[in-house]
């Protein structure tokens, strides 16, 4: 079975550019999560969706970050404009439910903003 | 107070050793606990769930201590391939909130 699929795997871009990260959750999973991971802060939950509806985006660091889930099989995380401090690994995860169920992670997108 | 706390390590142990990590949690009503493993430059992967009565999977044993609000992971007969970061996961502080991840404990198994 296919796991969570993220793209791109790596992204290097200059500050000020728009960055779009993509995620396809595991089929049948109703909850989708976007995380950012850095050495200093660990794994931070940015936003999560349940049945394609954003539930809590309080983890989104700034208005420069936005996320959408237009259907059950696709989500995007967008940063516009990007800044060097956004450099991190961004993970998407999915699970059957928001709570109580283990989350399954994609390979992540390693983002470098120059 | 952080919801899930772990000793970051690193724990450096020789091959064949037994090593244990603890993780404390703040939500006394928490019901769901997991251990994840994360290799360098890879995604976190589910290692095992933690059940109230404790559970074992090969060389790995997970236990829950509700009275003291911690979970533990015991690894017996450590292998070089066990070297990774182990993330403790528990319920969020409020009902209907997602799982929360600890920052991880780094383990290095040395030949």
């Amino acid at each position: 079975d296919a796991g969570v699929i993220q793209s791109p795997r790596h992204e290097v871009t200059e500050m000020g550019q728009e960055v779009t990260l993509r995620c396809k959750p595991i089929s049948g999973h109703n909850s989708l999560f976007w995380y950012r991971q850095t050495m200093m802060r660990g794994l931070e939950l940015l936003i999560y969706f349940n049945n394609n509806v954003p539930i809590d985006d309080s983890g989104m660091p700034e208005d420069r970050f936005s996320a959408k889930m237009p259907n059950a099989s696709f989500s995007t995380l967008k940063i516009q404009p990007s800044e060097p401090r956004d450099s991190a690994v961004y993970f998407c995860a999915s699970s059957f439910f928001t709570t109580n169920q283990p989350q399954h992670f994609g390979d992540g997108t390693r983002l470098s903003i120059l | 107070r952080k919801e899930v706390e772990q000793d970051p390590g690193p724990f450096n142990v020789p091959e064949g050793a037994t090593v244990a990590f603890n993780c404390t949690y703040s939500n006394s009503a928490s019901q769901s606990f997991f251990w994840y493993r994360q290799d360098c430059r890879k995604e976190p992967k589910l290692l095992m769930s933690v059940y109230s009565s404790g559970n074992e999977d090969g060389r790995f044993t997970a236990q829950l201590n509700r009275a003291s609000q911690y979970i533990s992971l015991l690894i017996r007969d450590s292998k070089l391939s066990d070297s990774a970061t182990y993330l403790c996961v528990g319920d969020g502080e409020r009902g209907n909130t997602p799982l929360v991840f600890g920052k991880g404990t780094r383990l290095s198994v040395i030949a």
Side-chain angles (χ1 to χ4, degrees):
Chain A
D1 287 344
V4 175
I5 299 172
Q6 290 187 246
S7 64
R9 291 292 302 276
H10 304 273
E11 176 89 15
V12 180
T13 192
E14 293 186 346
M15 65 178 292
Q17 297 298 306
E18 178 179 292
V19 173
T20 299
L21 311 182
R22 297 172 178 80
C23 175
K24 176 179 167 57
I26 293 173
S27 178
H29 281 188
N30 295 321
S31 298
L32 182 142
F33 309 84
W34 281 102
Y35 290 90
R36 176 171 70 177
Q37 187 174 41
T38 60
M39 288 291 292
M40 290 297 294
R41 301 173 71 93
L43 202 60
E44 299 175 276
L45 178 63
L46 301 177
I47 185 172
Y48 69 96
F49 296 81
N50 193 44
N51 292 323
N52 314 338
V53 175
I55 303 300
D56 185 351
D57 66 355
S58 60
M60 298 284 255
E62 297 171 37
D63 291 346
R64 299 183 294 107
F65 286 69
S66 63
K68 293 182 179 179
M69 191 166 185
N71 57 62
S73 59
F74 184 65
S75 177
T76 59
L77 177 68
K78 190 172 291 189
I79 308 173
Q80 166 65 16
S82 57
E83 295 183 4
R85 60 195 166 118
D86 300 332
S87 298
V89 181
Y90 290 80
F91 288 107
C92 175
S94 71
S95 65
F96 283 110
F97 303 113
T98 300
T99 60
N100 308 120
Q101 295 292 311
Q103 297 172 16
H104 300 269
F105 286 76
D107 291 338
T109 294
R110 190 167 295 274
L111 178 63
S112 295
I113 308 297
L114 306 177
Chain B
R1 179 180 175 185
K2 293 191 188 301
E3 294 169 289
V4 174
E5 291 198 63
Q6 301 180 246
D7 180 343
F11 284 62
N12 299 315
V13 302
E15 268 188 293
T18 296
V19 61
F21 314 131
N22 283 348
C23 163
T24 58
Y25 61 93
S26 58
N27 180 4
S28 59
S30 196
Q31 296 291 323
S32 306
F33 302 96
F34 307 93
W35 282 102
Y36 277 68
R37 171 195 169 124
Q38 186 172 22
D39 292 290
C40 188
R41 303 177 75 84
K42 296 283 192 179
E43 77 277 19
K45 289 184 178 177
L46 178 65
L47 178 65
M48 60 196 302
S49 303
V50 183
Y51 301 124
S52 297
S53 54
N55 48 296
E56 196 173 297
D57 183 0
R59 297 180 294 108
F60 298 82
T61 300
Q63 293 202 309
L64 167 64
N65 184 316
R66 286 203 179 276
S68 301
Q69 291 186 210
Y70 73 86
I71 65 171
S72 63
L73 178 67
L74 180 82
I75 306 175
R76 289 182 299 279
D77 188 21
S78 300
K79 311 290 184 191
L80 294 176
S81 57
D82 294 334
S83 297
T85 297
Y86 291 84
L87 305 173
C88 165
V89 184
D91 282 333
E93 192 65 31
R94 303 184 313 275
N96 273 341
T97 54
L99 303 174
V100 289
F101 286 74
K103 288 191 174 181
T105 297
R106 203 165 95 230
L107 171 67
S108 290
V109 181
I110 305 161

